[in-house]
């Protein structure tokens, strides 16, 4: 449904959507991880299976909350994102720079509303990626707690996550030693992360 109205969708249909980006926290258990890794036999054959089933990993996915949808006759190749918020984390990945952006807008849930004051909101988040540390052709320098506005396009990066990495995130590294070494090394699951590749950016002063 879009704005309370049912919409018709068919497999293979080309559509164009408008909306806003939201982060969606969820919890993954080890049964789901082993299914994604196509290695359920490792879990089923584990002697301490109950210990494995107790492990849970917190994850965050990014989605488009669709506000408008329309069919198109051909692929328009339209991919545009505009975001504004406060940099809560800045880091490097190879030659690229990444910025975790906290966004406070009309789509953010209101936590508190005091008379005569702006509402206090719970932010949602998105990650910006600056290829070679640039927005377009210009080198940019962004500091934590800096407010900025960026435009660019959405990109999904696929990567493999190992069993050892998952257990480390959950604080249960000791379990890796309870299965054969060859199994521990071969179990990986395909993962994806969505971010905005920045093509232009405006930095605001304090």
């Amino acid at each position: 449904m879009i704005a309370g109205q049912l919409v018709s969708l068919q497999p293979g249909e080309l559509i164009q959507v408008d909306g806003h980006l939201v982060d969606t926290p969820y919890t993954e258990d080890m049964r789901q991880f082993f299914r994604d890794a196509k290695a359920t036999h490792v879990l089923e054959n584990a002697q301490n299976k109950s210990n494995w089933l107790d492990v849970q990993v917190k994850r965050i996915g990014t989605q488009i909350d669709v506000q408008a949808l329309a069919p198109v006759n051909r692929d328009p190749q339209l991919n545009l994102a505009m975001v504004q918020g406060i940099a809560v984390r800045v880091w490097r990945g190879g030659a690229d720079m990444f910025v975790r952006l906290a966004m406070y807008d009309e789509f953010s849930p209101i936590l508190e509303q005091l008379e005569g004051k702006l509402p206090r909101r719970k932010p949602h988040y998105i990650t910006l990626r600056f290829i070679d540390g640039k927005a377009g052709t210009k080198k940019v320098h962004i500091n934590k707690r800096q407010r900025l506005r960026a435009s660019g396009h959405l990109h999904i990066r696929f990567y493999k996550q190992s069993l050892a990495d998952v257990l480390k995130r959950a604080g249960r590294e000791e379990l890796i030693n309870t299965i054969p070494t060859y199994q521990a090394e071969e179990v990986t699951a395909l993962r994806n992360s969505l971010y905005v590749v920045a093509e232009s950016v405006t930095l605001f002063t304090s």
Side-chain angles (χ1 to χ4, degrees):
M1 300 181 75
I2 305 295
Q5 300 295 318
L6 289 170
V7 296
S8 297
L9 291 174
Q10 301 294 331
E13 185 176 8
L14 294 175
I15 59 173
Q16 177 178 312
V17 300
D18 295 318
H20 61 275
L21 297 169
V22 295
D23 54 313
T24 307
Y26 64 98
T27 301
E28 178 187 70
D29 60 25
M30 293 306 297
R31 196 183 296 276
Q32 179 62 54
F33 175 82
F34 279 108
R35 279 200 296 265
D36 292 344
K38 296 180 173 57
T40 54
H41 63 283
V42 177
L43 177 62
E44 296 303 323
N45 295 330
Q47 295 181 355
N48 53 348
K49 183 178 176 181
S50 60
N51 291 337
W52 286 88
L53 295 178
D54 288 338
V55 179
Q56 293 187 332
V57 180
K58 292 184 178 180
R59 297 187 179 278
I60 299 179
T62 301
Q63 301 177 353
I64 300 177
D65 191 337
V66 178
Q67 303 297 306
L69 179 150
V72 292
N73 294 325
R74 59 184 179 81
D75 187 357
Q77 296 293 328
L78 178 62
N79 182 346
L80 175 64
M82 298 184 68
V83 294
Q84 178 173 313
I86 299 172
V88 294
R89 184 186 171 205
V90 181
W91 73 97
R92 290 277 177 177
D96 300 340
M97 178 175 66
F98 295 83
V99 177
R100 191 67 172 165
L101 202 65
M103 299 184 293
Y104 300 84
D105 53 28
E106 67 270 27
F107 303 111
S108 304
I110 295 177
L111 299 176
E112 185 180 27
Q113 175 70 76
L114 299 177
E115 186 176 354
K117 294 187 177 181
L118 293 173
R120 185 168 69 89
R121 296 179 178 272
K122 178 182 179 180
H124 44 263
Y125 298 87
I126 188 69
T127 299
L128 295 172
R129 181 177 183 177
F130 295 85
I131 304 298
D132 292 329
K134 299 178 180 179
T137 59
K138 290 187 176 181
K139 200 82 172 177
V140 295
H141 301 280
I142 298 174
N143 299 316
K144 188 177 179 181
R145 293 187 292 274
Q146 191 163 22
R147 190 163 63 94
L148 60 96
R149 178 187 298 141
S151 66
H153 63 272
L154 297 178
H155 183 80
I156 297 178
R157 180 178 72 92
F158 292 94
Y159 64 96
K160 287 186 176 181
Q161 186 176 43
S162 69
L163 177 60
D165 289 339
V166 172
L167 293 177
K168 184 177 181 180
R169 286 189 58 180
R172 298 295 301 273
E173 297 97 324
E174 76 281 358
L175 287 176
I176 200 72
N177 298 320
T178 66
I179 61 175
T181 301
Y182 75 92
Q183 289 184 336
E185 294 176 347
E186 72 181 11
V187 176
T188 60
L190 188 64
R191 292 288 181 254
N192 66 77
S193 60
L194 183 147
Y195 49 77
V196 174
V197 175
E199 297 167 358
S200 66
V201 64
T202 300
L203 304 179
F204 298 96
T205 64
S206 57

